[in-house]
Amino acid sequence: MMTKEGGRPTLSVESIMPKAQRKRGKCGSLSWLCRQPWSMASPEHPGSPGWTGPINQCLTRPRQEALPPGPDLPCPGPEEVQDGPSSNSSMTTRELQEHWQKEKSRWKHVRLLFEIASARIEERRVSKFVMYQVVVIQTGSFDSDKAVVERRYSDFERLHKALLKRFGPELEDVALPRKRLTGNLSAETICERRRELREYLRLLSAVRAVRRSRDFIDFLTRPELREAFGCLRAGQYARALDLLGRVVPLHEKLTAHCPSAAVPALCAMLVCLRDLERPAEAFALGERALRRLRARESHRYYAPLLDAMVRLAYALGKDLASLQGRLDEDQLRRPTHRGATLKELTVREYLS
């Protein structure tokens, strides 16, 4: 059947299909049309693989009708370019694989891996013992802050006793490598002990309550933090900053479930950098600490940190209106509260 559209005659599907097929209605018409060989590839039919005309003539869906992004994906603005393939993309199979591999990497499960990388014998006046180097790596993304600490067997022993006291039933399948009375310093024993301690840490970290416990976190960070805060109290800011720079990344990984736990150490780094006359770096550390105190305005470090940041912003010539406004709001909430300065707070940490 010939019809007119825009002044030009057009040919309908019903006019070229068999009469028997025509009786089946619209669905039958479409089914018959898709089975014809010229509907699969022809240089004369837009949208087919053999189409040689302009691409924009075979697009059936305008760009504005693209499906909205999911809840976990960023929503690009009208002027932004999406990273993913568009509806008329000519990406190769390899490019598509690389794209989706990149997308999947954003949602990789993050966990900590423990390795006993090496061991050394330390000799004191009246004793010898082995120091084991514990390396902690975060999986799920490239980890540029690989943490390294050293612990001796007696440290593992104290940790195990504390965990058994608190999580006894949950650790029935976790055993600390047994203590040996002789041959502890032989190369064979040290190598075997390294493997056993690595497995021990792996089993502990597999228990969520254990890896988030104060005992486990203190085992990996407290000795270094105590030394760093001791140097801060003694005015040895460069030494304290060096120690904190090595242990804070590990502390942040271990306390990812509780962001405010790393605030005292970050503030200690701010104090060190400020007293070493490095205000720009101190301000950057303060911003990190403030992000961890989001929605925690009642935290004991909140007001002293804001006060220190206002002073740093003024010294650096930065816009301090927002920081000053937050500080004023805090003072209105607690008008009679006279808190300690940031430095007074940090020097009180890790005294025992």
Side-chain angles (χ1 to χ4, degrees):
M1 180 182 296
M2 300 288 290
T3 60
K4 287 190 177 182
E5 181 179 344
R8 293 178 301 174
T10 59
L11 189 65
S12 66
V13 174
E14 288 80 0
S15 64
I16 61 174
M17 64 183 295
K19 187 174 182 180
Q21 189 71 29
R22 204 180 308 163
K23 294 180 180 180
R24 297 185 182 181
K26 186 175 182 180
C27 293
S29 302
L30 291 175
S31 175
W32 176 83
L33 182 64
C34 292
R35 290 198 303 268
Q36 303 313 305
W38 41 262
S39 70
M40 302 300 293
S42 172
E44 300 176 359
H45 291 85
S48 70
W51 170 246
T52 58
I55 293 178
N56 57 5
Q57 291 184 15
C58 64
L59 292 178
T60 59
R61 186 175 187 172
R63 186 179 180 87
Q64 289 79 3
E65 297 180 8
L67 292 175
D72 296 328
L73 296 177
C75 183
E79 300 300 326
E80 294 177 3
V81 178
Q82 301 187 41
D83 292 334
S86 60
S87 58
N88 61 341
S89 172
S90 59
M91 296 175 72
T92 64
T93 301
R94 183 175 180 179
E95 288 173 334
L96 285 169
Q97 289 174 343
E98 290 175 354
H99 167 72
W100 293 120
Q101 190 68 27
K102 180 181 177 181
E103 288 294 316
K104 287 193 295 182
S105 68
R106 298 183 185 181
W107 295 280
K108 283 183 179 178
H109 178 63
V110 175
R111 62 191 180 97
L112 297 179
L113 294 181
F114 298 87
E115 179 66 51
I116 308 297
S118 63
R120 63 180 178 85
I121 298 175
E122 183 162 320
E123 190 170 353
R124 301 279 175 89
R125 289 183 179 180
V126 294
S127 65
K128 287 183 179 181
F129 54 87
V130 181
M131 294 293 291
Y132 297 95
Q133 188 184 74
V134 183
V135 179
V136 186
I137 303 173
Q138 182 173 283
T139 66
S141 61
F142 176 71
D143 188 2
S144 60
D145 292 319
K146 179 177 65 176
V148 180
V149 296
E150 283 192 325
R151 298 293 180 265
R152 54 187 295 186
Y153 179 82
S154 58
D155 296 324
F156 285 90
E157 200 171 30
R158 280 193 293 272
L159 169 67
H160 194 66
K161 288 179 180 178
L163 292 177
L164 282 178
K165 187 176 180 180
R166 190 173 174 189
F167 306 103
E170 297 181 64
L171 299 179
E172 57 183 11
D173 296 327
V174 182
L176 179 71
R178 62 186 180 86
K179 193 171 185 176
R180 299 186 181 186
L181 299 177
T182 60
N184 288 335
L185 304 181
S186 68
E188 183 180 352
T189 300
I190 292 174
C191 186
E192 182 181 353
R193 179 66 57 81
R194 282 174 53 195
R195 291 194 298 269
E196 292 172 341
L197 291 175
R198 178 186 61 189
E199 179 65 11
Y200 173 72
L201 289 174
R202 187 190 70 80
L203 293 173
L204 287 181
S205 64
V207 183
R208 181 179 179 179
V210 171
R211 71 172 177 265
R212 292 187 172 187
S213 68
R214 170 63 69 87
D215 295 311
F216 187 73
I217 295 169
D218 282 353
F219 164 74
L220 290 165
T221 61
R222 191 173 182 82
E224 288 74 17
L225 287 172
R226 282 188 63 187
E227 184 180 356
F229 278 86
C231 291
L232 173 61
R233 283 188 288 271
Q236 301 172 6
Y237 302 122
R239 172 63 178 162
L241 190 60
D242 178 61
L243 289 167
L244 289 168
R246 282 183 277 158
V247 72
V248 165
L250 172 59
H251 196 250
E252 288 182 306
K253 292 171 186 174
L254 294 169
T255 59
H257 61 285
C258 180
S260 62
V263 168
L266 290 171
C267 289
M269 294 182 74
L270 183 155
V271 169
C272 290
L273 287 165
R274 184 187 63 189
D275 289 1
L276 288 171
E277 298 183 356
R278 294 157 63 179
E281 295 171 76
F283 190 84
L285 260 297
E287 289 181 317
R288 279 174 61 186
L290 280 176
R291 284 195 294 270
R292 289 179 167 271
L293 289 180
R294 196 169 295 162
R296 294 290 304 274
E297 289 83 0
S298 61
H299 195 280
R300 60 196 175 98
Y301 271 84
Y302 183 73
L305 176 57
L306 276 177
D307 182 69
M309 289 292 285
V310 168
R311 296 172 187 273
L312 284 169
Y314 179 80
L316 292 167
K318 292 180 176 289
D319 182 14
L320 50 82
S322 175
L323 291 168
Q324 186 65 56
R326 292 165 69 180
L327 183 59
D328 292 342
E329 288 177 6
D330 183 78
Q331 290 173 345
L332 287 174
R333 283 194 299 268
R334 299 180 291 177
T336 61
H337 180 71
R338 172 64 180 90
T341 65
L342 191 64
K343 190 170 185 177
E344 289 171 344
L345 270 182
T346 54
V347 297
R348 297 173 189 171
E349 300 284 349
Y350 295 92
L351 288 171
S352 58

